Amino acid sequence: MPDQVAPLSQRPAWKALTAHAATLKPQHLRDLFKSDPARGTRLTAEAEGIFLDYSKNRVTDDTLKLLIELAEQSGLKPHIEAMFTGQKINITENRAVLHVALRAPASESIKVDGEDVVPEVHKVLNKMAAFADQVRSGKWLGYTDKPIKNIVNIGIGGSDLGPVMAYEALKHYSQRDLTFRFVSNVDGTDFVEAVHDLDPEETLFLVASKTFTTLETMTNAHSARSWTLAKLKQTEAIARHFVAISTNDKEVAKFGIDTANMFGFWDWVGGRYSMDSAIGLSTMIAIGPDNFRKLLAGFHAMDVHFRTTPFEKNLPVLMGLLTVWYTDFFDAQTVAILPYEQYLKRFPAYLQQLTMESNGKHVTLDGTHVDADTGPIYWGEPGTNGQHSFYQLIHQGTRLIPCDFIGFSKAVNPLGRHHDMLMANVFAQAEALAFGKTAEEVKAEGVPDALVPHKVFEGNRPSNVLLANELTPEMLGKLVALYEHNVFTQGVIWSIDSFDQWGVELGKVLATKILGEIESPTAPAPTAHDTSTTNLINRYRATK
Ligand code: F6P
């Protein structure tokens, strides 16, 4: 395991960055570009077909040098090696963190507790591929011998957000005569709407849950079972209409799914890092095994880049360090993810779990309170829709919101001038945010004095522009891995465990307790809560 490092505020680079930030903050990006025009081409990095322009950030070469020193003093290199070699860096759960093994080529060997996990990964991939081919070719028949036409993934969190994001992102590559639906919420509407126009005879449910105990998923899976049996009557039908994706074969069998119809994964895959494990079965059925392997190859290419490239040119490291820079030295609370690609419409939602469940921690690995702010809030919408909604605040509000613009040179669906218009907006927004418009410029346009302050754009608002060639399965893998390792870099700097999620537990426990209290009409009114919660429960019991 990597050596323990000094608390963040004691690291020399941190102290130097604190002093440096004070001198840099008053400087405007307009001046930084004026005194150093070459920064527009110098402060860029390119790898695996992704070009990162980070020149419109409030940094200089000195900032970058210090941030990289901080990464070194935080032990980023040994931490990367520890992750890639299967050491148990998820210390609160005593687990290895090996999503990188899910996309390792069969020739590689990665050991956990002395056992090579790569052959197992490929065994599951082959089983998924055989199953996906059967469904795609119409050979997998339902109980009444009709081919499957509808695939419904039931899962939540990492067992939903990755599959739905990837399905939407790669719809262009999907088999269009199959219908895909995703059910996650325990709100019955989610299930009812997902199946309202489907025929149980032609519907296959993929019950996706790492633990196979998650309340929402199990409740939806039981409703799906009842919905299926209402038409097909015989319990033997379940075997043709349900498969499980899980690490927990006991619970899968208990639910009534034959473990022969189970696709496994392992405790060293975190839920939010699992879209390229068996959890990606819906993706594989949609785009086919060959495209799924291209997706994995994209992930792997970014893994190799992250592990082997010097920090100065390392995309995830640079992006992670910039996020630490704004979070801790500019008091930025959020990061906006702005994909200018309609197919990436669920990418911001996917990144919310990846980033916020990973780095929403206030305690360091040694159990002490972290001495800086951690995980920013990630949010966003695809461009250009956001421009007509929340960009006003990014341009003229009082908060600093670092933005990641994501654009592509080629349109997946070329249509007249659409793509050039879309991309013109990427470049325009990043330029407007950085350089703004001064009062003098506004006045020169003949704007009346009273309106000038309203029309001034302060600028000096930072952004990254990520420019890739085209959204393909391979490129999606690269983009997701880029953010996975970006999050990892941030977590190492803050010395937190980016791979546990204890913060979700308390609400779950309380909900189970309260469910018992509201479901039983004869139970006495609850008294063990605070007066507000008791009052709400009683009101609900009386009005439901
Ligand atoms: O409660 C949070 C969480 O554990 C996530 O980390 C996870 O992705 C989600 O629930 C679903 O868990 P499972 O795949 O075990 O159903």
Side-chain angles (χ1 to χ4, degrees):
M1 289 288 276
D3 293 336
Q4 252 201 323
V5 293
L8 193 48
S9 57
Q10 318 271 304
R11 293 174 211 159
W14 187 265
K15 293 183 186 165
L17 279 163
T18 308
H20 175 71
T23 63
L24 196 70
K25 268 189 191 168
Q27 298 189 51
H28 199 289
L29 277 166
R30 276 196 287 263
D31 302 321
L32 294 177
F33 269 86
K34 208 166 172 187
S35 62
D36 175 21
R39 66 180 278 134
T41 48
R42 191 180 67 252
L43 300 187
T44 63
E46 189 170 5
E48 298 304 331
I50 300 177
F51 179 76
L52 166 68
D53 176 354
Y54 60 97
S55 65
K56 293 192 190 78
N57 280 288
R58 292 173 65 177
V59 295
T60 61
D61 293 324
D62 287 342
T63 325
L64 291 160
K65 195 170 143 281
L66 290 173
L67 285 170
I68 285 163
E69 279 172 27
L70 177 66
E72 280 155 3
Q73 289 164 20
S74 306
L76 181 57
K77 190 78 198 154
H79 275 88
I80 294 172
E81 278 314 296
M83 174 170 72
F84 275 85
T85 53
Q87 294 179 48
K88 297 195 172 166
I89 58 169
N90 176 0
I91 59 155
T92 71
E93 296 180 312
N94 192 30
R95 287 177 182 166
V97 174
L98 269 182
H99 40 280
V100 294
L102 298 171
R103 51 263 191 158
S107 54
E108 269 187 35
S109 159
I110 303 173
K111 291 192 174 153
V112 179
D113 294 330
E115 250 187 63
D116 189 357
V117 299
V118 178
E120 274 305 303
V121 166
H122 284 268
K123 216 162 115 188
V124 174
L125 275 174
N126 292 338
K127 182 175 169 179
M128 288 164 65
F131 180 75
D133 279 338
Q134 277 199 300
V135 176
R136 286 165 64 81
S137 63
K139 285 191 189 131
W140 182 274
L141 302 178
Y143 187 62
T144 53
D145 283 344
K146 289 191 180 173
I148 293 300
K149 284 196 188 149
N150 316 306
I151 291 95
V152 181
N153 188 82
I154 297 179
I156 198 165
S159 301
D160 167 71
L161 288 162
V164 73
M165 181 279 287
Y167 172 67
E168 292 296 342
L170 301 176
K171 205 181 231 171
H172 178 75
Y173 304 89
S174 71
Q175 187 165 318
R176 298 293 184 137
D177 61 355
L178 294 174
T179 296
F180 289 83
R181 301 271 162 83
F182 298 85
V183 176
S184 52
N185 200 335
V186 78
D187 182 338
T189 295
D190 205 10
F191 179 77
V192 169
E193 283 294 336
V195 299
H196 85 281
D197 56 347
L198 305 185
D199 179 353
E201 292 182 66
E202 300 173 337
T203 302
L204 173 72
F205 290 98
L206 314 180
V207 185
S209 174
K210 180 175 170 181
T211 54
F212 230 72
T213 56
T214 304
L215 180 83
E216 291 87 342
T217 301
M218 289 304 109
T219 306
N220 279 319
H222 280 288
S223 297
R225 200 170 189 277
S226 307
W227 179 81
T228 306
L229 290 178
K231 177 141 191 209
L232 300 180
K233 312 290 182 211
Q234 310 300 323
T235 45
E236 304 88 77
I238 297 302
R240 307 302 303 165
H241 293 270
F242 280 76
V243 301
I245 303 160
S246 187
T247 58
N248 191 344
D249 47 0
K250 280 199 195 85
E251 287 295 327
V252 169
K254 223 160 98 188
F255 179 85
I257 297 179
D258 187 345
T259 44
N261 292 342
M262 170 177 162
F263 299 85
F265 61 114
W266 307 272
D267 73 353
W268 39 261
V269 182
R272 53 194 176 272
Y273 296 88
S274 67
M275 62 169 274
D276 46 347
S277 70
I279 291 290
L281 184 60
S282 58
T283 315
M284 194 192 262
I285 297 173
I287 63 173
D290 288 350
N291 275 325
F292 194 83
R293 287 184 196 282
K294 287 183 191 159
L295 175 81
L296 295 182
F299 271 102
H300 180 67
M302 189 52 71
D303 294 342
V304 173
H305 166 76
F306 179 54
R307 190 177 183 182
T308 59
T309 308
F311 292 163
E312 299 77 36
K313 288 284 161 204
N314 192 313
L315 303 187
V317 171
L318 288 168
M319 289 179 72
L321 289 173
L322 286 166
T323 301
V324 171
W325 174 237
Y326 292 118
T327 304
D328 292 330
F329 296 96
F330 285 74
D331 209 16
Q333 313 267 326
T334 82
V335 175
I337 302 293
L338 308 167
Y340 279 64
E341 167 55 71
Q342 184 63 18
Y343 283 123
L344 288 180
K345 66 181 179 193
R346 296 290 286 164
F347 195 55
Y350 171 78
L351 288 188
Q352 284 186 325
Q353 188 198 9
L354 178 70
T355 59
M356 290 157 74
E357 211 173 62
S358 295
N359 285 345
K361 314 285 162 68
H362 67 274
V363 167
T364 61
L365 294 167
D366 63 9
T368 54
H369 205 289
V370 67
D371 50 0
D373 276 327
T374 60
I377 298 152
Y378 278 73
W379 61 288
E381 281 288 325
T384 55
N385 302 13
Q387 289 173 211
H388 296 273
S389 143
F390 52 78
Y391 277 39
Q392 165 65 38
L393 187 147
I394 307 182
H395 281 288
Q396 284 191 319
T398 54
R399 297 173 193 283
L400 184 88
I401 300 180
C403 299
D404 286 355
F405 291 97
I406 304 171
F408 296 87
S409 301
K410 290 190 177 56
V412 178
N413 293 304
L415 180 65
R417 298 172 66 208
H418 285 243
H419 197 67
D420 287 345
M421 287 164 101
L422 180 71
M423 291 307 295
N425 277 283
V426 174
F427 307 133
Q429 290 299 327
E431 184 177 9
L433 285 169
F435 302 103
K437 199 180 202 183
T438 62
E440 290 66 43
E441 287 165 339
V442 176
K443 275 185 207 153
E445 288 172 356
V447 171
D449 282 357
L451 280 184
V452 169
H454 299 277
K455 297 206 166 192
V456 165
F457 287 68
E458 284 173 350
N460 215 14
R461 292 163 194 243
S463 66
N464 290 317
V465 177
L466 290 162
L467 190 57
N469 191 37
E470 190 178 355
L471 182 59
T472 58
E474 199 174 359
M475 185 49 73
L476 182 69
K478 289 174 184 178
L479 277 174
V480 174
L482 170 63
Y483 278 93
E484 286 176 348
H485 300 318
N486 167 350
V487 167
F488 180 83
T489 300
Q490 297 170 33
V492 170
I493 305 290
W494 289 318
S495 299
I496 55 179
D497 187 335
S498 297
F499 302 102
D500 60 14
Q501 57 284 319
W502 299 107
V504 300
E505 293 305 323
L506 178 58
K508 285 187 194 172
V509 172
L510 289 176
T512 307
K513 178 166 179 268
I514 292 173
L515 180 62
E517 292 165 353
I518 61 182
E519 267 187 344
S520 162
T522 54
T527 51
H529 303 280
D530 60 277
T531 52
S532 159
T533 309
T534 303
N535 190 36
L536 287 166
I537 294 170
N538 286 338
R539 195 176 170 85
Y540 175 71
R541 278 188 8 157
T543 54
K544 80 188 191 111

